[in-house]
Amino acid sequence: MTDFHYSVDSDGVATITWDIQGKSMNVLSMEGLAELEAHIDTALSDEAVKGVIITSAKADFAGGMDLNVIARMKEMAGDQPEKGLFDGIMSMHRCLRKIERAGMDPKTLKGGKPVVAALPGTALGIGLEIPLACHRIIAAENPKAKIGLPEIMVGIFPGAGGTTRLARKLGAMGAAPFLLEGKLSDPKKAKSAGLIDEVVPADDLMTRAKEWVLGAKDADLVKPWDAKGYKMPGGAPYHPAGFMTFVGASAMINGKTQGVYPAAKALLSAVYEGAQVPFDTALKIEARWFVHVLMNPSSGAMIRSLFINKEALEKGANRPQVADEKVRKLGVLGAGMMGAGIAYVAANAGIDVVLIDAQQAAAEKGKGYAEGVLDKGIKRGKLSEAKKAEVLGRITPTTDYDALASCDLVIEAVFEDPKVKAEVTTKAETVLPDDAIFATNTSTLPISDLAKASARPGQFIGIHFFSPVDKMLLVEIIKGRETGDRAVAKALDFVRQIRKTPIVVNDARFFYANRCIIPYLNEGMRMVREGVAPALVENAAKLMGMPLGPLQLVDETSLDLGAKIAKATRVAMGDSYADGDVDEVVFWMVEQGRLGRKSAAGFYTYDDKGKRQGLWQGIADKFPKSDDQPDLITVQHRLMFAQALEAVRALEEGVLEDIREGDVGAILGWGFAPWSGGPFSWLDMLGPEFAVSVCDDLEARFGARFSAPELLRQMAKTGRGFYANRESAAA
């Protein structure tokens, strides 16, 4: 079986076609790279071949590198993983450089064979790095196609020449959005930005590619950086303009990453150092920095969680072995913000939706939410009026429960009141088909308790969306005590249909995500009560890679909601409730009318447009800052361990069944320091023995909530982390 196919037509144009059998998207493996290089060698040595087209037989060109290859490179290198990685990366550079030079005389830069990349659709990562080494990039008109270098999003950077070539092609400033932010563009925008050279109608793609090959001159094959007198657009680092660019880029990177994402800093270093030396030396510098990043545990953790594990969960890694449960028609009970959001994402995925509310006007307003999201898409040029009409046509707003008669899945999203939920459950089940699955979108109420209102608890499940539904990638599926496999499969298949990432957990108070995020919020407020400077609390969190400090996140979720949850939790837990000191802060803030962003007053102040202005100084009137402030590491440990230990307890108690779901869910659900790969990956980085020693210190100084779980203590004795244990169990 081959990944690349080679043919030569009667005009002497060779076509190398990428087409991996059994996969919907091409991804590059080391075996595939060897095939590609062999075909390039054949074309360059064959006098009958006048030029080469590299294209794909699939609808898209390529989705990038098979990141599992990186792990295999390390393993195959034995006790010299850095050398194994460096040699592997340099083999890619050799192949792409061979394409770029195309057999031309190194002195005269003449006699080469033109190589053109013909992209039928999406070209990401190595799928763009290969075209960047070609002499021309022609893409088909395809508004759904995405072109770019998204590697930075999974903790690495373009390491097969993409960093060096794009920086030299566009200049450091022009390349920054594509390298440092992973910006993706459709073909027309990619051409406008200078990433590619031409966009043609899809039917003309191969014709135009062949036409260019046959008409190309020697000068068309010489890349700017290989030509005499090349100057980097915008200026090299030693040029006054270039110097200012790199100073600004360094400040921007540190401002955005807070120094915790090694890939961004390494990328800038590769560009900065590479811009001062010849191109081939720059490729070696890029390779060395790329290996440096790959050897950083953060990179491996991010790749594992945000690519390998995330992809596995989306493909149904933990799906019960039952028949396909694809949703045909969805019922949504409650047309408020959550219900309306669920209706929109389902309709946008091609599912017919019945949206029910007590009042027709409310149901219509819920449909209006979808219209508002779609209008924004039209304004940004992302979709057409016809597409908008199609999506809205799938949503039927009504007050009539009989409309649920043909639904195979219903999700209730009414008020967090057990009585209200029980009422709508009964009304819906009266008309639903016998095999329909009923789901609740509750964020706090135990699923098993809510299932008592159901006549068929085996078909009752929790599907917990995060707000706003259309933007948040995670969906938490919660199994009640009696939930059956078919209900789990239905929930997983539905989440796959709406293109989100699922995790499956067992029923418990706050489930998994909320269970872990609440201690983070509480620890932040607890420190404010103790007299820790609010700015120290917030900045300590951000310097650990948390997207929002705990006080800002409380503002976003609202303090009155926090007060409501605190009261309900206190009633449920009785004497074991341990957050009374946090409640003092929450209830006082509510009494002051400072409910968070929605009231334009919380831990932060806001202007008339709701824009956050800064921390509210009035908090010191009630909770004055102590003269003796804790060190940064102590504050960070309190905030991070508050979350991570709760994740371990969730695993220990069986709420969480798979650490992969724990890590992916933490990053996508509440933004747990993505650089770390998630709480279990983070604890593995620290090492169980060190983690337990930190817990013991925190427990002695701040209380039993930092007590190391027994599972972590046992791991400290063996020295084996969570993923090492998982791999042993799987072996």
Side-chain angles (χ1 to χ4, degrees):
M1 187 177 291
T2 58
D3 292 354
F4 290 89
H5 305 276
Y6 182 84
S7 64
V8 182
D9 68 13
S10 58
D11 293 315
V13 176
T15 300
I16 299 174
T17 306
W18 201 349
D19 187 16
I20 300 180
Q21 297 302 305
K23 289 193 175 184
S24 60
M25 180 75 79
N26 292 321
V27 291
L28 189 68
S29 64
M30 294 308 291
E31 295 77 14
L33 178 71
E35 279 186 44
L36 175 61
E37 185 170 12
H39 290 322
I40 291 296
D41 287 340
T42 299
L44 295 181
S45 63
D46 186 347
E47 293 183 1
V49 172
K50 298 176 181 176
V52 181
I53 299 171
I54 301 178
T55 190
S56 167
K58 301 183 187 298
D60 295 307
F61 183 67
M65 188 81 187
D66 181 352
L67 294 182
N68 290 294
V69 170
I70 293 172
R72 288 200 293 273
M73 279 186 199
K74 287 184 181 179
E75 292 168 5
M76 291 170 63
D79 59 356
Q80 290 185 297
E82 298 96 334
K83 184 179 186 304
L85 287 168
F86 183 77
D87 291 345
I89 299 304
M90 288 308 296
S91 69
M92 294 184 196
H93 285 314
R94 182 186 66 240
C95 177
L96 269 60
R97 194 66 169 136
K98 191 177 290 186
I99 291 172
E100 195 164 51
R101 300 292 279 189
M104 66 178 67
D105 184 287
K107 292 184 178 179
T108 65
L109 301 182
K110 293 182 178 180
K113 296 184 179 183
V115 182
V116 60
L119 313 180
T122 290
L124 300 176
I126 193 71
L128 180 57
E129 289 182 289
I130 292 173
L132 283 171
C134 297
H135 307 120
R136 189 92 175 158
I137 306 174
I138 304 174
E141 285 183 2
N142 183 350
K144 292 184 178 179
K146 297 297 179 186
I147 295 175
L149 300 165
E151 286 90 336
I152 200 75
M153 307 304 289
V154 291
I156 55 178
F157 67 87
T163 294
T164 300
R165 286 188 174 89
L166 200 63
R168 294 199 176 208
K169 182 179 176 115
L170 304 181
M173 186 68 77
F178 306 103
L179 295 176
L180 291 170
E181 299 173 20
K183 180 181 178 181
L184 305 182
S185 306
D186 62 38
K188 288 185 177 178
K189 289 181 180 177
K191 179 181 181 299
S192 178
L195 267 71
I196 63 175
D197 303 302
E198 290 185 53
V199 179
V200 299
D203 293 341
D204 298 337
L205 179 63
M206 295 303 290
T207 301
R208 174 56 189 145
K210 180 175 179 179
E211 180 183 272
W212 188 86
V213 165
L214 295 175
K217 304 292 189 295
D218 281 334
D220 297 326
L221 278 56
V222 181
K223 291 297 181 73
W225 42 88
D226 283 329
K228 187 176 181 180
Y230 165 77
K231 292 183 178 180
M232 190 170 184
Y238 44 77
H239 184 279
F243 173 79
M244 293 307 297
T245 295
F246 281 94
V247 169
S250 181
M252 181 191 75
I253 286 175
N254 280 288
K256 286 191 173 185
T257 68
Q258 303 295 327
V260 296
Y261 291 87
K265 186 176 180 180
L267 185 155
L268 185 61
S269 297
V271 174
Y272 177 82
E273 295 171 16
Q276 302 177 65
V277 296
F279 184 78
D280 287 300
T281 305
L283 290 180
K284 290 182 180 179
I285 289 172
E286 180 188 296
R288 291 184 186 282
W289 276 111
F290 191 60
V291 171
H292 173 78
V293 168
L294 292 177
M295 292 304 297
N296 188 304
S298 170
S299 171
M302 286 186 74
I303 290 172
R304 182 176 60 206
S305 292
L306 294 175
F307 177 77
I308 297 171
N309 291 349
K310 179 175 177 288
E311 187 178 72
L313 297 177
E314 289 169 347
K315 289 183 176 179
N318 293 326
R319 185 185 186 278
Q321 297 299 308
V322 300
D324 177 61
E325 285 290 342
K326 185 177 180 180
V327 175
R328 301 181 304 276
K329 189 172 184 179
L330 174 70
V332 178
L333 310 182
M337 185 173 69
M338 292 300 291
I342 295 167
Y344 163 70
V345 296
N348 197 47
I351 301 171
D352 289 332
V353 180
V354 175
L355 180 58
I356 291 183
D357 206 283
Q359 302 295 326
Q360 184 65 30
E364 296 285 354
K365 183 179 179 182
K367 181 176 180 178
Y369 174 83
E371 185 171 12
V373 175
L374 293 166
D375 282 340
K376 290 178 182 176
I378 291 173
K379 190 174 181 180
R380 293 194 301 268
K382 298 291 186 181
L383 58 96
S384 64
E385 288 285 353
K387 176 65 175 178
K388 171 188 170 182
E390 179 187 331
V391 173
L392 291 178
R394 296 191 186 108
I395 302 175
T396 302
T398 182
T399 61
D400 186 6
Y401 274 72
D402 288 340
L404 299 173
S406 56
C407 292
D408 53 309
L409 173 66
V410 167
I411 301 175
E412 67 82 0
V414 298
F415 298 116
E416 289 287 277
D417 183 327
K419 292 182 180 179
V420 176
K421 290 182 179 294
E423 181 182 340
V424 300
T425 301
T426 302
K427 288 179 69 175
E429 287 189 346
T430 301
V431 297
L432 281 173
D434 290 341
D435 62 348
I437 301 299
F438 190 97
T440 173
N441 178 57
T442 183
S443 58
T444 58
L445 300 173
I447 303 302
S448 299
D449 290 349
L450 295 178
K452 293 175 182 177
S454 172
R456 32 198 169 182
Q459 294 163 224
F460 193 100
I461 195 167
I463 302 182
H464 175 212
F465 287 85
F466 295 79
S467 183
V469 175
D470 53 300
K471 293 181 180 178
M472 296 298 285
L473 297 175
L474 185 73
V475 177
E476 190 174 25
I477 296 168
I478 307 101
K479 297 185 291 185
R481 281 190 295 272
E482 298 182 59
T483 301
D485 283 351
R486 199 172 66 81
V488 176
K490 173 72 79 173
L492 284 168
D493 290 354
F494 171 63
V495 173
R496 182 186 301 177
Q497 281 178 265
I498 60 175
R499 296 181 288 277
K500 294 189 182 293
T501 303
I503 62 170
V504 181
V505 302
N506 287 307
D507 194 17
R509 179 165 292 278
F510 302 127
F511 318 133
Y512 173 66
N514 284 340
R515 171 179 181 157
C516 295
I517 192 60
I518 289 173
Y520 172 64
L521 305 179
N522 285 352
E523 201 62 30
M525 291 187 285
R526 185 179 276 111
M527 282 191 272
V528 169
R529 181 183 177 279
E530 293 170 7
V532 178
L536 175 56
V537 173
E538 295 290 88
N539 289 325
K542 291 176 182 178
L543 286 169
M544 280 299 291
M546 294 297 293
L548 301 179
L551 306 181
Q552 184 183 342
L553 189 51
V554 170
D555 269 12
E556 297 294 331
T557 56
S558 81
L559 281 124
D560 55 332
L561 175 62
K564 182 178 179 181
I565 291 173
K567 289 176 182 177
T569 307
R570 179 180 289 182
V571 169
M573 297 183 68
D575 293 340
S576 62
Y577 184 73
D579 290 323
D581 48 354
V582 177
D583 293 350
E584 184 180 349
V585 179
V586 174
F587 296 154
W588 181 78
M589 290 287 285
V590 172
E591 287 171 7
Q592 306 308 304
R594 304 192 70 86
L595 308 182
R597 178 184 284 276
K598 70 179 184 180
S599 68
F603 285 106
Y604 284 81
T605 59
Y606 301 84
D607 64 16
D608 294 339
K609 295 182 180 179
K611 185 177 181 180
R612 194 173 60 259
Q613 297 298 294
L615 284 160
W616 178 50
Q617 298 304 308
I619 192 76
D621 295 338
K622 178 69 174 177
F623 306 107
K625 284 186 281 188
S626 171
D627 292 335
D628 184 18
Q629 292 292 304
D631 62 86
L632 176 65
I633 298 299
T634 295
V635 176
Q636 290 179 325
H637 278 168
R638 289 180 67 174
L639 293 173
M640 294 293 281
F641 274 92
Q643 304 169 73
L645 294 181
E646 203 59 43
V648 176
R649 294 182 190 111
L651 179 68
E652 201 173 44
E653 295 167 14
V655 175
L656 191 66
E657 296 181 338
D658 188 333
I659 58 172
R660 296 178 300 175
E661 293 180 310
D663 275 348
V664 173
I667 295 172
L668 299 185
W670 73 89
F672 183 94
W675 64 268
S676 71
F680 297 101
S681 292
W682 182 65
L683 289 170
D684 276 0
M685 281 187 208
L686 297 180
E689 189 173 358
F690 176 74
V692 167
S693 70
V694 174
C695 289
D696 289 344
D697 174 63
L698 292 175
E699 182 182 10
R701 294 162 64 192
F702 304 109
R705 63 187 178 280
F706 290 110
S707 174
E710 184 58 30
L711 175 60
L712 193 59
R713 289 194 180 279
Q714 290 300 320
M715 289 168 57
K717 293 177 181 178
T718 64
R720 294 174 61 83
F722 290 99
Y723 279 93
N725 285 336
R726 182 181 183 279
E727 289 166 7
S728 296

